Amino acid sequence: MASFVILLGPPGVGKGTQAKIIAEKTRRAHISSGDLFRENIKNQTDLGKKAKAYLDKGELVPDDVTIDMIRDRLRQPDCQAGAILDGFPRTPAQAEALDALLMDFRVQVDLVPNLTAPASVLVDRIGGRLTCRAHSHVFHSKYDPPKVPGKCDLDGSDLYQREDDKPETVQRRIQVYMEQTAPLIEYYRHQGKIVEVDGTREVNDVTSDLMDALQKV
Ligand code: AP5
Ligand code: MG
């Protein structure tokens, strides 16, 4: 079974939703670069102070800052059995840095599922997304409503709308994805690691496609 898996795909396609489920099913660590940045912003760390302006505008945090953060995360003991990467890498320089880093650990990226959905679906999903303050659990006002309005089913903390989920910032994030991250599809296709996954289907159907792909590696 694949150990290091990258979920690629545009904002709102379901990377976080699927990464969480797959990580639990396969007992791998779930590494979300976006969640790590938001956690640092919440705790007002130096890293959070550097990253905040970029997240607010929907721009990418500079590569050196992002790569250092992920390097530290991958060195944590829970990553020894592998990890599901969600939101990293996002530029060719990040992908090359990840390859070099994993080579040091004598492992490699095993599989890169590329989740796809049209922009209308992304906007609809991001528009209704509700995120929990305590642990970044994700709900959707229409597709996955919480049992108690405004409260996380799993830990009871408040649900909020992410600052960068405002319509104008969403458009910029989609554009940034097209310009800076979509080239990674070819990067990993060259390595024979891309598997295409239709992200428009229901959550459970997407999960089973991903699990099938993982079993084959
Ligand atoms: P990040 O947090 O990674 O945001 P993103 O890539 O824009 O992706 P999202 O989290 O918006 O979407 P998702 O694909 O995880 O969808 P989700 O599962 O939540 O990054 C944020 C920012 O951090 C960046 O803009 C940048 O500034 C910075 N950053 C992060 N990584 C970086 C990096 N590597 N380099 C530089 N900067 C970086 O689903 C969305 C909604 O849809 C939810 O409400 C969910 O319930 C619902 N949903 C999910 N699946 C389905 C389904 N199948 N059917 C119906 N509804 C569904
Ligand atoms: Mg996410």
Side-chain angles (χ1 to χ4, degrees), residues 89 92 94-97 99 182-194:
Q94 291 180 17
E96 284 161 20
D99 281 348
L184 293 187
I185 301 168
E186 281 315 305
Y187 179 90
Y188 287 114
R189 206 188 299 285
H190 272 295
Q191 297 187 359
K193 291 171 183 167
I194 286 282

Side-chain angles (χ1 to χ4, degrees), residues 10-17 33-34 37-38 54-55 58-61 66 87-88 90 94 125-126 129 138-140 143 162 164 173 199 201-203:
V13 75
K15 300 181 298 294
T17 300
S33 45
F37 284 130
R38 283 183 287 278
Y54 296 97
L55 272 88
E59 302 291 337
L60 296 185
V61 178
T66 306
F88 181 92
R90 239 168 160 111
Q94 291 180 17
R125 287 187 184 170
I126 293 177
R129 172 168 51 198
V138 166
F139 298 84
H140 192 281
Y143 306 122
R162 265 170 50 181
D164 60 343
R173 283 161 56 202
R201 305 191 310 140
E202 288 194 5
V203 172

Side-chain angles (χ1 to χ4, degrees), residues 5 25 28 30 33 55 60 69 77-78 84 89 94-95 107 121 125:
V5 174
K25 281 185 186 288
R28 308 278 188 250
H30 170 197
S33 45
L55 272 88
L60 296 185
M69 176 180 79
D78 65 324
I84 312 295
Q94 291 180 17
V107 291
V121 171
R125 287 187 184 170

Side-chain angles (χ1 to χ4, degrees), residues 165-184:
D165 283 353
K166 288 182 291 204
E168 59 278 15
T169 318
V170 171
Q171 290 306 331
R172 180 64 192 144
R173 283 161 56 202
I174 293 174
Q175 193 184 4
V176 166
Y177 167 80
M178 297 301 291
E179 290 169 3
Q180 302 190 49
T181 307
L184 293 187

Side-chain angles (χ1 to χ4, degrees), residues 77-213:
D78 65 324
C79 295
Q80 271 177 10
I84 312 295
L85 294 163
D86 150 21
F88 181 92
R90 239 168 160 111
T91 63
Q94 291 180 17
E96 284 161 20
L98 178 65
D99 281 348
L101 196 59
L102 293 182
M103 208 182 284
D104 286 348
F105 300 150
R106 299 181 196 286
V107 291
Q108 58 172 354
V109 173
D110 296 302
L111 192 73
V112 185
N114 181 37
L115 292 165
T116 53
S120 56
V121 171
L122 308 177
V123 169
D124 185 40
R125 287 187 184 170
I126 293 177
R129 172 168 51 198
L130 300 163
T131 304
C132 107
R133 288 240 179 251
H135 299 104
S136 305
H137 298 122
V138 166
F139 298 84
H140 192 281
S141 54
K142 204 167 17 165
Y143 306 122
D144 183 19
K147 293 193 182 83
V148 178
K151 297 284 174 197
C152 176
D153 289 359
L154 300 160
D155 59 37
S157 72
D158 288 342
L159 299 176
Y160 75 105
Q161 183 172 40
R162 265 170 50 181
E163 190 60 34
D164 60 343
D165 283 353
K166 288 182 291 204
E168 59 278 15
T169 318
V170 171
Q171 290 306 331
R172 180 64 192 144
R173 283 161 56 202
I174 293 174
Q175 193 184 4
V176 166
Y177 167 80
M178 297 301 291
E179 290 169 3
Q180 302 190 49
T181 307
L184 293 187
I185 301 168
E186 281 315 305
Y187 179 90
Y188 287 114
R189 206 188 299 285
H190 272 295
Q191 297 187 359
K193 291 171 183 167
I194 286 282
V195 45
E196 297 292 350
V197 176
D198 177 1
T200 60
R201 305 191 310 140
E202 288 194 5
V203 172
N204 291 344
D205 295 328
V206 178
T207 306
S208 34
D209 286 359
L210 287 169
M211 289 304 292
D212 285 351

